[in-house]
Amino acid sequence: MSKVLFVCLGNICRSPMAEAVFRSKVKEAGLERQIDIDSAGTGDWHLGEPPHEGTRSILKSHGISYDGMKSRLVKTEDFNDYTYIIAMDASNIRNLQTFAPDSYSASIHKLLEFAPDASNGDVPDPYYTGNFNEVFEMVDESCERLLAYIRNREGI
């Protein structure tokens, strides 16, 4: 089974949005038994909280479930428990490097590596910008391409 962990700063806006969108795409493709999905944050300000109201609103408007999602912190074990760790921006990558054990098996990427048309390599944080629609569009396109990448790489 492939396991995908989406990571952002507080785990209430971008990474839970990506988790929910990707989970929806995986379910639509009938791959729920082949791909496990979660999200986490590098900061502990919102531990145990549900996704941000803006994230919930945009997901709801697209008919995407976020039921049961709660913010959690990245753990050292995640680097070996997950096949792919997908960060939202360069700052998240730097933060992940501080959590990472000396050796690990996960493949770490920025989400927008899977959206070649993106002018900026970082998904902006709507917690600060308020632009949940723009972020949703980036996440949706990138998750579609990420799924294709994983299907090709894993042969599923």
Side-chain angles (χ1 to χ4, degrees), residues 53-138:
E53 180 181 324
T55 295
R56 293 191 315 258
S57 177
I58 194 79
L59 291 172
K60 188 175 182 179
S61 74
H62 288 276
I64 299 172
S65 174
Y66 53 85
D67 289 345
M69 294 174 62
K70 300 271 188 231
S71 175
R72 76 167 181 91
L73 196 60
V74 172
K75 300 177 287 194
T76 304
E77 308 86 72
D78 291 337
F79 291 88
N80 287 305
D81 289 347
Y82 286 85
T83 317
Y84 304 94
I85 297 177
I86 310 296
M88 298 299 122
D89 62 34
S91 175
N92 302 147
I93 295 283
R94 286 190 299 276
N95 289 336
L96 282 167
Q97 291 167 344
T98 67
F99 288 103
D102 290 338
S103 65
Y104 56 88
S105 59
S107 178
I108 300 175
H109 302 271
K110 284 199 305 181
L111 182 62
L112 291 189
E113 287 177 30
F114 302 97
D117 298 336
S119 61
N120 180 346
D122 293 337
V123 176
D125 193 341
Y127 185 83
Y128 300 106
T129 67
N131 199 341
F132 288 89
N133 288 321
E134 174 191 17
V135 169
F136 180 85
E137 295 303 322
M138 291 175 154

Side-chain angles (χ1 to χ4, degrees), residues 1-6 22-23 26 31-38 78 80-86 106-107 146-156:
M1 172 175 278
S2 293
K3 295 179 76 175
V4 179
L5 180 67
F6 293 98
F22 194 67
R23 187 179 309 279
V26 165
L31 297 171
E32 308 99 295
R33 293 178 185 248
Q34 286 95 345
I35 302 174
D36 187 50
I37 306 141
D38 197 6
D78 291 337
N80 287 305
D81 289 347
Y82 286 85
T83 317
Y84 304 94
I85 297 177
I86 310 296
S107 178
L146 172 61
L147 180 55
Y149 171 84
I150 291 172
R151 290 185 79 169
N152 183 54
R153 186 165 177 193
E154 305 292 328
I156 54 175

